[in-house]
PDB file of all heavy atoms in Angstrom:
ATOM      1  N   MET A  42      -9.937  25.726 -24.488  1.00  0.00           N
ATOM      2  CA  MET A  42      -9.285  27.039 -24.480  1.00  0.00           C
ATOM      3  C   MET A  42     -10.100  28.054 -25.253  1.00  0.00           C
ATOM      4  O   MET A  42     -10.667  27.703 -26.352  1.00  0.00           O
ATOM      5  CB  MET A  42      -7.888  26.948 -25.128  1.00  0.00           C
ATOM      6  CG  MET A  42      -7.006  25.902 -24.508  1.00  0.00           C
ATOM      7  SD  MET A  42      -5.444  25.858 -25.436  1.00  0.00           S
ATOM      8  CE  MET A  42      -4.653  24.465 -24.507  1.00  0.00           C
ATOM      9  N   ASP A  65     -15.899   5.341 -22.286  1.00  0.00           N
ATOM     10  CA  ASP A  65     -16.403   5.336 -20.920  1.00  0.00           C
ATOM     11  C   ASP A  65     -15.337   5.781 -19.957  1.00  0.00           C
ATOM     12  O   ASP A  65     -15.473   5.656 -18.740  1.00  0.00           O
ATOM     13  CB  ASP A  65     -16.920   3.978 -20.570  1.00  0.00           C
ATOM     14  CG  ASP A  65     -15.884   2.882 -20.696  1.00  0.00           C
ATOM     15  OD1 ASP A  65     -14.693   3.220 -20.979  1.00  0.00           O
ATOM     16  OD2 ASP A  65     -16.244   1.708 -20.525  1.00  0.00           O
ATOM     17  N   ILE A  78     -18.221  29.882 -15.170  1.00  0.00           N
ATOM     18  CA  ILE A  78     -19.508  29.664 -14.536  1.00  0.00           C
ATOM     19  C   ILE A  78     -20.665  29.743 -15.583  1.00  0.00           C
ATOM     20  O   ILE A  78     -21.692  29.064 -15.443  1.00  0.00           O
ATOM     21  CB  ILE A  78     -19.746  30.702 -13.369  1.00  0.00           C
ATOM     22  CG1 ILE A  78     -20.886  30.217 -12.461  1.00  0.00           C
ATOM     23  CG2 ILE A  78     -19.927  32.081 -13.896  1.00  0.00           C
ATOM     24  CD1 ILE A  78     -20.947  30.901 -11.123  1.00  0.00           C
ATOM     25  N   TYR A  80     -20.795  28.380 -18.428  1.00  0.00           N
ATOM     26  CA  TYR A  80     -20.920  27.191 -19.238  1.00  0.00           C
ATOM     27  C   TYR A  80     -20.879  25.884 -18.473  1.00  0.00           C
ATOM     28  O   TYR A  80     -20.865  24.813 -19.085  1.00  0.00           O
ATOM     29  CB  TYR A  80     -19.715  27.151 -20.279  1.00  0.00           C
ATOM     30  CG  TYR A  80     -19.774  28.345 -21.225  1.00  0.00           C
ATOM     31  CD1 TYR A  80     -18.874  29.394 -21.089  1.00  0.00           C
ATOM     32  CD2 TYR A  80     -20.757  28.431 -22.204  1.00  0.00           C
ATOM     33  CE1 TYR A  80     -18.921  30.489 -21.913  1.00  0.00           C
ATOM     34  CE2 TYR A  80     -20.802  29.504 -23.070  1.00  0.00           C
ATOM     35  CZ  TYR A  80     -19.881  30.545 -22.964  1.00  0.00           C
ATOM     36  OH  TYR A  80     -19.920  31.633 -23.734  1.00  0.00           O
ATOM     37  N   GLY A  88     -21.225  15.673 -20.936  1.00  0.00           N
ATOM     38  CA  GLY A  88     -20.622  14.423 -20.496  1.00  0.00           C
ATOM     39  C   GLY A  88     -19.330  14.545 -19.674  1.00  0.00           C
ATOM     40  O   GLY A  88     -18.676  13.554 -19.462  1.00  0.00           O
ATOM     41  N   ALA A  98      -9.470  32.738 -13.335  1.00  0.00           N
ATOM     42  CA  ALA A  98     -10.445  33.056 -14.341  1.00  0.00           C
ATOM     43  C   ALA A  98     -11.857  33.289 -13.782  1.00  0.00           C
ATOM     44  O   ALA A  98     -12.791  33.560 -14.551  1.00  0.00           O
ATOM     45  CB  ALA A  98     -10.523  31.934 -15.387  1.00  0.00           C
ATOM     46  N   ALA A 103     -15.720  30.234  -5.351  1.00  0.00           N
ATOM     47  CA  ALA A 103     -16.580  29.323  -4.484  1.00  0.00           C
ATOM     48  C   ALA A 103     -17.874  29.057  -5.162  1.00  0.00           C
ATOM     49  O   ALA A 103     -18.359  27.910  -5.193  1.00  0.00           O
ATOM     50  CB  ALA A 103     -16.728  29.943  -3.102  1.00  0.00           C
ATOM     51  N   LEU A 140      -5.402  21.030  -9.642  1.00  0.00           N
ATOM     52  CA  LEU A 140      -4.543  20.873 -10.851  1.00  0.00           C
ATOM     53  C   LEU A 140      -3.506  21.960 -10.843  1.00  0.00           C
ATOM     54  O   LEU A 140      -3.792  23.182 -10.960  1.00  0.00           O
ATOM     55  CB  LEU A 140      -5.416  20.966 -12.112  1.00  0.00           C
ATOM     56  CG  LEU A 140      -4.727  21.122 -13.458  1.00  0.00           C
ATOM     57  CD1 LEU A 140      -3.720  20.089 -13.695  1.00  0.00           C
ATOM     58  CD2 LEU A 140      -5.733  21.127 -14.558  1.00  0.00           C
ATOM     59  N   MET A 142      -0.534  23.650 -12.748  1.00  0.00           N
ATOM     60  CA  MET A 142       0.056  23.746 -14.095  1.00  0.00           C
ATOM     61  C   MET A 142       1.551  23.801 -13.955  1.00  0.00           C
ATOM     62  O   MET A 142       2.121  24.546 -13.216  1.00  0.00           O
ATOM     63  CB  MET A 142      -0.384  25.025 -14.788  1.00  0.00           C
ATOM     64  CG  MET A 142      -1.847  25.003 -15.249  1.00  0.00           C
ATOM     65  SD  MET A 142      -2.321  23.598 -16.271  1.00  0.00           S
ATOM     66  CE  MET A 142      -1.208  23.778 -17.678  1.00  0.00           C
ATOM     67  N   LEU A 158       7.688  21.354  -8.586  1.00  0.00           N
ATOM     68  CA  LEU A 158       7.899  20.300  -7.550  1.00  0.00           C
ATOM     69  C   LEU A 158       7.683  20.817  -6.139  1.00  0.00           C
ATOM     70  O   LEU A 158       7.024  20.179  -5.327  1.00  0.00           O
ATOM     71  CB  LEU A 158       9.289  19.637  -7.690  1.00  0.00           C
ATOM     72  CG  LEU A 158       9.530  18.975  -9.059  1.00  0.00           C
ATOM     73  CD1 LEU A 158      10.976  18.556  -9.183  1.00  0.00           C
ATOM     74  CD2 LEU A 158       8.617  17.754  -9.211  1.00  0.00           C
ATOM     75  N   ASP A 159       8.222  21.996  -5.831  1.00  0.00           N
ATOM     76  CA  ASP A 159       7.998  22.676  -4.553  1.00  0.00           C
ATOM     77  C   ASP A 159       6.535  22.954  -4.318  1.00  0.00           C
ATOM     78  O   ASP A 159       6.010  22.822  -3.229  1.00  0.00           O
ATOM     79  CB  ASP A 159       8.779  23.967  -4.448  1.00  0.00           C
ATOM     80  CG  ASP A 159      10.253  23.717  -4.041  1.00  0.00           C
ATOM     81  OD1 ASP A 159      10.511  22.591  -3.534  1.00  0.00           O
ATOM     82  OD2 ASP A 159      11.111  24.580  -4.223  1.00  0.00           O
ATOM     83  N   THR A 164       1.407  22.112  -1.692  1.00  0.00           N
ATOM     84  CA  THR A 164      -0.020  21.829  -1.819  1.00  0.00           C
ATOM     85  C   THR A 164      -0.411  20.599  -0.987  1.00  0.00           C
ATOM     86  O   THR A 164      -1.395  20.594  -0.264  1.00  0.00           O
ATOM     87  CB  THR A 164      -0.396  21.664  -3.306  1.00  0.00           C
ATOM     88  OG1 THR A 164      -0.038  22.844  -3.990  1.00  0.00           O
ATOM     89  CG2 THR A 164      -1.878  21.426  -3.471  1.00  0.00           C
ATOM     90  N   GLY A 172      -6.619  18.273   6.970  1.00  0.00           N
ATOM     91  CA  GLY A 172      -7.196  16.942   7.066  1.00  0.00           C
ATOM     92  C   GLY A 172      -7.845  16.507   5.704  1.00  0.00           C
ATOM     93  O   GLY A 172      -8.812  15.798   5.722  1.00  0.00           O
ATOM     94  N   THR A 190       8.955  10.307 -12.202  1.00  0.00           N
ATOM     95  CA  THR A 190       9.234   9.828 -10.827  1.00  0.00           C
ATOM     96  C   THR A 190       9.270  11.015  -9.847  1.00  0.00           C
ATOM     97  O   THR A 190       8.714  10.923  -8.762  1.00  0.00           O
ATOM     98  CB  THR A 190      10.531   9.056 -10.786  1.00  0.00           C
ATOM     99  OG1 THR A 190      10.418   7.962 -11.746  1.00  0.00           O
ATOM    100  CG2 THR A 190      10.801   8.486  -9.406  1.00  0.00           C
ATOM    101  N   ARG A 194       7.018  11.552  -6.686  1.00  0.00           N
ATOM    102  CA  ARG A 194       7.670  11.638  -5.368  1.00  0.00           C
ATOM    103  C   ARG A 194       7.256  12.906  -4.601  1.00  0.00           C
ATOM    104  O   ARG A 194       7.160  12.907  -3.388  1.00  0.00           O
ATOM    105  CB  ARG A 194       9.176  11.582  -5.537  1.00  0.00           C
ATOM    106  CG  ARG A 194       9.914  10.949  -4.377  1.00  0.00           C
ATOM    107  CD  ARG A 194      11.420  10.839  -4.604  1.00  0.00           C
ATOM    108  NE  ARG A 194      11.773   9.707  -5.421  1.00  0.00           N
ATOM    109  CZ  ARG A 194      12.803   9.684  -6.280  1.00  0.00           C
ATOM    110  NH1 ARG A 194      13.532  10.748  -6.442  1.00  0.00           N
ATOM    111  NH2 ARG A 194      13.077   8.601  -6.965  1.00  0.00           N
ATOM    112  N   GLU A 224       7.503   0.959 -10.719  1.00  0.00           N
ATOM    113  CA  GLU A 224       8.745   1.021  -9.936  1.00  0.00           C
ATOM    114  C   GLU A 224       8.606   1.945  -8.779  1.00  0.00           C
ATOM    115  O   GLU A 224       9.028   1.629  -7.673  1.00  0.00           O
ATOM    116  CB  GLU A 224       9.872   1.506 -10.884  1.00  0.00           C
ATOM    117  CG  GLU A 224      11.264   1.169 -10.318  1.00  0.00           C
ATOM    118  CD  GLU A 224      12.374   1.894 -11.013  1.00  0.00           C
ATOM    119  OE1 GLU A 224      12.208   2.153 -12.252  1.00  0.00           O
ATOM    120  OE2 GLU A 224      13.380   2.156 -10.357  1.00  0.00           O
TER     121      GLU A 224
END
Side-chain angles (χ1 to χ4, degrees):
M42 305 178 184
D65 59 5
I78 196 163
Y80 298 106
L140 167 54
M142 288 307 300
L158 297 172
D159 277 342
T164 303
T190 304
R194 210 177 278 147
E224 200 193 329

